[in-house]
Amino acid sequence: MRLSQRLSRVAPSATLTLAAKAKAMKAAGQDVVSLTAGEPDFATAPHIIAAIHRSLDRGDTTYTAVGGVPELREAIAAHHSRDGVKYTAEEVVVSTGAKQSLYNAMQCLLDPGDKGVVIAPFWLSYADMIRVAGGEVEIVETDEASDFLAAPDRLDAALAGARVVILNSPSNPSGALYSAARMSALADVIREHPDVVVIADEIYDRFVYGDAAYVSILDVAPDLAERTLLVNGCSKTYAMTGLRIGWACGPKPLVGALTRLQGQSTSNASSPMQQGALAALTGDQTPVEEMVRAFDIRRRFVVGRLQAIPGVTCFEPSGAFYVLPNLSSYVGRTLPDGSPIEDTFPITAHLLHDHGLVVVPGGPFGAPNHIRLSFAADMEQLTKGLDRLRDALVAFG
Ligand code: PMP
Ligand code: GLU
């Protein structure tokens, strides 16, 4: 069958493909440790589930407004309002996951050939979303030496002629987190490029560890609100990945455009799940705090174990729930079967087939010498997974 040219610009999502593969292997009875998708292993809190049940029981099974029910949009607007930036319900669109808001934003902002800027390592879907909208991806490189933070002068160079820049702090996959000073430095650069729209993907805003604090670009540069789209959702914070509620807040013309597009594609997000999201945002936040505390313990454990593997270095993430160990010292060597290691793809394939460990290669995230592990898994799985990784790597030629 002949498929559109457009589709040739999209690769299958490596995170979702590998997570599905791990699930299928487990279902077939194989002993598999999956440290793939960014999906909290915690249960959705009972008060959220109860709100969804109540919603279904009272018959919330019809369409809602495309952009979401007013009470949820108001709660989201209040949640993201801050000194210098106040949102109203009309400046919010609720979607079927943050992913949909991001996708729609690219569709609404980019024409063929337009430049979208991402900071590497980046969440892999950004690049495909830009490309499928016809845009060209420009990458600002970072590395461990700079804590995976973008240098303002590099960002400045990339923003020349760009339409969109995506910021993601805390970052998937690196866990990098911008301090107020570092974020201000980026804002100063962005201010000099008045045609650039900022997409601030803050889906990991609550996953911040140690002394670090989360800072939004809107905290340090409220003046940029008129050209910033703030994206967030329930998936990570409230362990609701499969329930698919996300949203975007921003200037009315842009939010209106996202809503118009959504009205011709998926319409409203699931109506009982919108009630679950309302309960999540307005209800008890203790489960979130408990989850983040547990993740912090895992984070320190995983980083310590990775740093102890010969030839592996690992940046300590300040946020999100991934680690991105650097396996450069293995690149250029050979697998036990003699095949060459040109980047971490063959390593992850070997881990999957010969060691029952599923992790994501760094290539699709713009970090070809790294692998990404999610620590949203329990300690037993993490311990087993790290044992397997160490045993596999020490056997390399
Ligand atoms: N942004 C980032 C950085 C992510 O890691 C994810 C994970 N899925 C999303 C957005 C989208 O999340 P969702 O569609 O589940 O709300
Ligand atoms: N964002 C998560 C991840 O990076 C979930 C999977 C996905 O949507 O890509 O693993």
Side-chain angles (χ1 to χ4, degrees), residues 13-27 34 36-37 358:
S13 160
T15 46
L16 294 180
T17 308
L18 282 163
K21 173 125 197 151
K23 272 188 188 158
M25 287 169 80
K26 273 186 198 162
S34 174
T36 52
V358 200

Side-chain angles (χ1 to χ4, degrees), residues 144 311-313 325-333 344 347 368-370:
E144 287 90 342
V312 174
T313 55
N326 187 326
L327 270 57
S328 299
S329 72
Y330 289 90
V331 174
R333 288 158 71 174
T344 58
I347 299 181
N369 291 345
H370 297 69

